[in-house]
Amino acid sequence: MAKAKKKAVFFCKECGYESPKWLGQCPVCHEWDSFTEAPPAAKYLTDSAVLPGMARNIPARLNEVKAGEEERTVTGIGELDRVLGGGIVAGSLVLVGGDPGIGKSTLLLQMCRQLSADGHKILYVSGEESPKQIKMRAERLGSFNSNLYILCETDLGAVSSAITEMKPGMVIIDSIQTMYSEEAGQAPGSPGQVREATSVLMKLAKSLQVSIFIVGHVTKEGVVAGPRMLEHMVDTVLYFEGEGGASYRFLRGVKNRFGSTNEIGVFEMRQDGLEEVLNPSGYMLQGKPEDEPGSVVTCSIEGTRPILVEVQALVCQTNFNMPRRTAAGTDYNRVNLLMAVIEKRLGIRMGDYDAYINVAGGMKINEPALDLGIVAAILSSYRNQAFDSKTVCFGEVGLVGEVRAVNLPGQRVMEAAKLGFSRCILPKANSQKLELDASSLNGMQVTGVGSIYELLEVI
Ligand code: TYD
Ligand code: MG
């Protein structure tokens, strides 16, 4: 490996696109004169892939490699542990991404508070705030003990020697965009700098077996080359998201080398930090209008957990040649497709109507199981008839108007029963196979439907 001929890799300073040769214009972002040669740190993959205690250039037999369970540290914040797959894995590199101001620093500081209380030595490196600012935030969160150290530094070399000398159990880097290394020779936050900083931190994490959390900002356009490129390098990627005004925050695992992905953690931002939301379904349905047309409760599976959400639709006659359609919290094209299915299969002239769809509560859901809820909400608003507020419905809708089976139906039904709903409408294929005892149904009626006509018949 070491003797392999080094290929020069060039990359675009603007978007991070890589090419084996220099290009005058980037084929992706169309920026001119943006290509530079990557620093040698680009060979991060080969280094990070080596397991401790194994020679890197000798092939090993797979069945002789010892895997075992990773050593994990439980943070004590249940929603965070869930997303991490049961705690922090020693020597892992975790990226926490999200819009500015969403609460990344707060979440990590709260994690530090818990861990330092459990006796772990922790280093919090901030390139964005002064010790005073961090202290001010910390005071809102409660008291901290002496195991937490703060370092306000942007120089990568200084940060890395501080980690090597101090040997903490956990390190937070807030944020990766502020880290600067002389060697990468570009401005802080540029792809070259971000890549260099991440590969240095990766090596430190693996060699010292210290877990490192790095914060990455995402701009409005979501195009900061840094975080996108970072995702490939780190072990775990968590995104912290939420709607502007609302106080809900969702921590979503999008990549996890040590656990399942798509798990979500739900928090509420309060005056004194982030509070875990232990019953997300109840929380998401707070303030749901009763007996209003266009409001339907449906059930989505996030990772392994069912969450009930309210889908709202507003359908009204259009004043334009082209009807207006919007979708907040779900896929716009999916909504258009469902409207076309309604038009064709139920013979309703949707082309004459504007439609606005919203998943209440600020959650983003792209699961097909939401289809039946969206269709029911559209029909309810169109007919100006309220959908029974004690009924939950879910199922995937196909192009022929058929209602198709979804995964984990039992869990969804049980969640609805637990929250006191009296009826659940679900795909016929699911209801036929459902094996639930009467006690877990809590008196709830279960209705299977095979198509959207049948949905119309049963409501
Ligand atoms: P912050 O963690 O600084 O966000 P990020 O690191 O993602 O940029 O959080 C900033 C927002 O959170 C800020 O607008 C204030 C709010 N906040 C609270 O509402 N309660 C709190 O206890 C704290 C610490 C912050
Ligand atoms: Mg911050």
Side-chain angles (χ1 to χ4, degrees):
M1 264 317 256
K3 285 269 148 60
K5 186 166 172 271
K6 271 213 193 100
K7 250 198 247 155
V9 176
F10 293 85
F11 71 97
C12 170
K13 276 188 286 190
E14 295 301 319
C15 71
Y17 175 77
E18 283 183 11
S19 155
K21 59 178 199 275
W22 188 87
L23 300 172
Q25 187 191 17
C26 175
V28 173
C29 67
H30 307 293
E31 196 62 37
W32 288 96
D33 195 22
S34 63
F35 272 77
T36 56
E37 199 170 331
K43 60 179 168 47
Y44 59 86
L45 253 187
T46 50
D47 286 348
S48 67
V50 180
L51 285 167
M54 289 189 74
R56 60 180 293 168
N57 44 11
I58 304 167
R61 289 176 209 269
L62 181 61
N63 51 15
E64 284 169 7
V65 175
K66 289 192 191 67
E69 270 293 292
E70 295 93 7
E71 199 187 308
R72 286 184 190 267
T73 309
V74 173
T75 64
I77 303 175
E79 295 293 298
L80 175 63
D81 286 330
R82 170 204 298 281
V83 179
L84 286 169
I88 307 167
V89 174
S92 63
L93 191 62
V94 181
L95 169 69
V96 181
D99 292 335
I102 203 77
K104 302 178 292 298
S105 305
T106 306
L107 178 70
L108 292 174
L109 203 58
Q110 266 178 273
M111 183 184 84
C112 292
R113 177 163 178 262
Q114 290 278 351
L115 290 170
S116 60
D118 291 344
H120 297 277
K121 197 162 131 191
I122 299 172
L123 177 64
Y124 189 106
V125 181
S126 179
E128 299 193 336
E129 291 161 312
S130 66
K132 216 167 153 186
Q133 282 171 309
I134 298 172
K135 180 74 185 174
M136 268 157 63
R137 176 180 293 119
E139 272 169 357
R140 296 174 73 168
L141 305 178
S143 58
F144 281 71
N145 71 11
S146 58
N147 285 330
L148 177 63
Y149 294 77
I150 303 288
L151 174 67
C152 293
E153 182 60 80
T154 56
D155 179 44
L156 190 61
V159 169
S160 111
S161 43
I163 296 174
T164 321
E165 269 164 40
M166 187 183 147
K167 293 204 178 55
M170 218 78 67
V171 177
I172 317 291
I173 305 289
D174 190 0
S175 65
I176 193 75
Q177 274 95 354
T178 56
M179 292 297 130
Y180 181 78
S181 156
E182 286 282 310
E183 273 147 60
Q186 296 167 11
S190 65
Q193 286 285 0
V194 169
R195 180 205 301 254
E196 170 71 13
T198 312
S199 71
V200 166
L201 292 168
M202 180 65 136
K203 277 180 207 151
L204 279 171
K206 300 292 161 193
S207 61
L208 301 175
Q209 283 293 293
V210 35
S211 310
I212 304 184
F213 281 73
I214 53 187
V215 172
H217 292 297
V218 181
T219 61
K220 272 279 162 281
E221 300 83 33
V223 290
V224 175
R228 280 276 147 217
M229 192 168 61
L230 275 171
E231 288 180 4
H232 299 286
M233 303 171 67
V234 302
D235 296 315
T236 302
V237 180
L238 310 180
Y239 269 98
F240 208 31
E241 54 191 40
E243 258 331 68
S247 57
Y248 327 94
R249 299 285 183 269
F250 305 99
L251 185 68
R252 194 182 289 277
V254 294
K255 166 179 172 179
N256 196 344
R257 288 190 183 144
F258 309 109
S260 65
T261 48
N262 289 323
E263 229 20 285
I264 73 164
V266 186
F267 296 89
E268 185 189 353
M269 183 61 100
R270 299 255 187 97
Q271 274 308 310
D272 53 354
L274 291 155
E275 183 85 21
E276 290 179 66
V277 175
L278 299 174
N279 173 9
S281 295
Y283 201 74
M284 297 306 290
L285 297 182
Q286 257 176 29
K288 184 183 118 49
E290 296 282 315
D291 301 319
E292 287 292 339
S295 154
V296 172
V297 178
T298 180
C299 187
S300 165
I301 295 269
E302 299 296 326
T304 53
R305 167 160 71 170
I307 296 184
L308 297 180
V309 286
E310 180 198 352
V311 177
Q312 298 183 327
L314 181 64
V315 178
C316 47
Q317 216 136 25
T318 184
N319 293 319
F320 308 96
N321 289 337
M322 272 277 285
R324 279 181 62 104
R325 305 267 159 94
T326 65
T330 187
D331 182 22
Y332 171 77
N333 291 323
R334 191 84 200 163
V335 168
N336 272 334
L337 182 145
L338 291 172
M339 299 207 52
V341 173
I342 293 174
E343 167 142 5
K344 186 81 180 175
R345 303 295 161 189
L346 297 179
I348 298 172
R349 291 265 308 153
M350 282 287 148
D352 297 341
Y353 290 87
D354 293 336
Y356 308 91
I357 309 294
N358 177 33
V359 175
M363 216 163 120
K364 293 195 182 69
I365 304 176
N366 284 327
E367 207 203 4
L370 217 63
D371 291 354
L372 201 61
I374 297 175
V375 168
I378 291 172
L379 292 175
S380 160
S381 176
Y382 170 79
R383 306 201 300 180
N384 209 23
Q385 282 175 8
F387 188 85
D388 176 32
S389 62
K390 284 280 160 213
T391 299
V392 169
C393 81
F394 63 85
E396 178 179 349
V397 174
L399 291 186
V400 195
E402 83 279 23
V403 177
R404 310 175 69 102
V406 298
N407 64 347
L408 306 175
Q411 291 196 18
R412 300 181 204 246
V413 171
M414 266 152 59
E415 180 76 4
K418 205 169 81 191
L419 277 121
F421 282 82
S422 59
R423 190 186 194 191
C424 181
I425 300 175
L426 71 165
K428 205 170 236 162
N430 281 147
S431 71
Q432 284 160 350
K433 288 194 196 134
L434 211 59
E435 284 169 3
L436 290 175
D437 49 49
S439 67
S440 58
L441 280 181
N442 207 0
M444 191 177 66
Q445 183 194 349
V446 174
T447 314
V449 292
S451 67
I452 56 175
Y453 320 97
E454 282 178 38
L455 173 72
L456 267 188
E457 279 165 21
V458 300
I459 55 178

